[in-house]
Amino acid sequence: CGREAFPEDDLAESTRFFQSDWSDVKVELHVQADLSAGNRLFREVVKEMERYFIFQGPVHSRLATLFIFQTYLAHPILPCVFYLGIGGPPSAGKTTMLEILKDLSWNGVISGDVKPAALSRISNAGCTFLVDEADAMDDEQRDLIYGSARRGYRRGSTRIVSVQTGKKWEPEVINIYGCYGFSFYNDTDVDPALLSRMVKFDVVRLKTDEVKGRVFLNMVRTILGQTDIRGRIETFVTERLKNWTPKRAAERLMDEEFQKKLLNKHSNVI
């Protein structure tokens, strides 16, 4: 079946075609998705992710993209967040995935780039903390990162740590709320409480020409930097946040009509 685009649409094409067995509701959802700047930007980020990484399923690239958008919304308005977990064997691309997330997320930091003594200060200042090989951390890192992440998914979460001032150690309250991402070989070695707070997907080790192409693209990305897409995410979110507060966001998420609307959209798209 076909559906004409409105003349004023900035994506206007003469006619878009959809599968004949789609309902009118499903067709309308896809048409409206094209008209929404937010939906278009979301799909563009998904495309960017899939350009640099081979996911095992389309839902994985969308989860990663949702995590990216969440990082920009967490501190301004969200009452809670989910964590992202990436499992898989050595040389499957887990570190590459975290590097891409770091480049596109708000204030992205990878654990390997930070000394344990600086973790508290960085966490307190606010960041998207990405932990590579979480199941292989030393005891000092494990205590700080796991201890923070267990409760850091809720707004207002804090932790008391010991900070050295001259020759003395003094207690200091730090902010631990934020978005955390983890990669690991074996999730049986990861804290169960932490696993319960994350959405996890696995990656596999592939040996194909397509993988070689992704390796080359990521080398270029590392040298030249990400595209302008991160700046456009920041601009989009900043504009949308002008009329939102944490209280209003929480009230909207708890609104029964809003929840029903989301469930109806989800069922119709599937």
Side-chain angles (χ1 to χ4, degrees):
C1 63
R3 167 70 184 265
E4 292 186 2
F6 297 105
E8 63 271 19
D9 297 346
D10 57 2
L11 290 183
E13 297 175 352
S14 57
T15 304
R16 284 202 58 194
F17 291 90
F18 303 94
Q19 297 182 32
S20 60
D21 59 346
W22 282 16
S23 67
D24 290 341
V25 174
K26 189 170 183 177
V27 170
E28 184 64 23
L29 283 173
H30 281 260
V31 170
Q32 292 303 319
D34 277 346
L35 302 181
S36 165
N39 284 332
R40 292 201 305 271
L41 181 58
F42 186 91
R43 291 200 307 274
E44 189 174 347
V45 178
V46 169
K47 186 177 179 181
E48 184 83 351
M49 299 289 288
E50 293 175 344
R51 178 188 180 197
Y52 292 111
F53 197 85
I54 301 175
F55 294 89
Q56 296 306 296
V59 68
H60 298 160
S61 58
R62 284 150 182 80
L63 282 171
T65 300
L66 187 61
F67 177 83
I68 290 169
F69 275 85
Q70 176 189 240
T71 67
Y72 292 90
L73 297 169
H75 285 273
I77 62 170
L78 292 183
C80 59
V81 296
F82 72 90
Y83 300 158
L84 190 66
I86 305 163
S91 302
K94 300 184 298 298
T95 300
T96 297
M97 181 76 261
L98 291 185
E99 289 173 345
I100 297 171
L101 291 173
K102 171 191 172 184
D103 290 343
L104 292 176
S105 297
W106 177 79
N107 283 5
V109 175
I110 293 183
S111 59
D113 298 336
V114 183
K115 298 294 184 182
L119 290 178
S120 295
R121 294 193 298 273
I122 291 174
S123 176
N124 190 47
C127 67
T128 300
F129 204 79
L130 304 167
V131 185
D132 197 17
E133 299 181 1
D135 47 345
M137 289 188 294
D138 60 40
D139 291 341
E140 186 177 7
Q141 284 184 315
R142 185 184 297 267
D143 176 66
L144 180 58
I145 295 174
Y146 278 12
S148 299
R150 285 191 197 98
R151 294 184 295 107
Y153 65 98
R154 296 184 298 180
R155 174 174 289 277
S157 296
T158 59
R159 189 181 185 197
I160 300 176
V161 297
S162 295
V163 178
Q164 187 172 13
T165 304
K167 295 182 179 181
K168 297 182 178 180
W169 290 85
E170 298 182 354
E172 181 177 331
V173 178
I174 64 169
N175 168 54
I176 57 175
Y177 172 61
C179 300
Y180 295 75
F182 301 86
S183 75
F184 36 75
Y185 299 128
N186 187 353
D187 59 14
T188 59
D189 295 327
V190 179
D191 182 63
L194 191 56
L195 284 173
S196 70
R197 290 151 175 72
M198 70 174 66
V199 176
K200 175 182 172 290
F201 62 83
D202 293 322
V203 295
V204 298
R205 186 175 182 179
L206 300 173
K207 293 183 179 180
T208 65
D209 290 339
E210 191 174 4
V211 173
K212 295 178 181 178
R214 294 298 199 284
V215 171
F216 174 77
L217 282 174
N218 277 291
M219 290 173 62
V220 174
R221 179 184 60 81
T222 301
I223 296 171
L224 300 181
Q226 201 71 45
T227 65
D228 67 340
I229 199 164
R230 178 182 176 182
R232 289 192 286 119
I233 295 173
E234 291 178 337
T235 300
F236 174 82
V237 172
T238 300
E239 182 64 28
R240 297 309 187 278
L241 284 175
K242 290 180 179 178
N243 298 320
W244 285 87
T245 64
K247 181 180 178 181
R248 184 185 175 194
E251 291 174 346
R252 181 68 178 274
L253 291 172
M254 296 302 296
D255 181 72
E256 292 185 3
E257 291 300 318
F258 177 71
Q259 293 175 7
K260 289 178 182 178
K261 183 178 179 181
L262 289 181
L263 289 174
N264 288 335
K265 281 190 174 184
H266 179 69
S267 60
N268 283 318
V269 171
I270 292 177

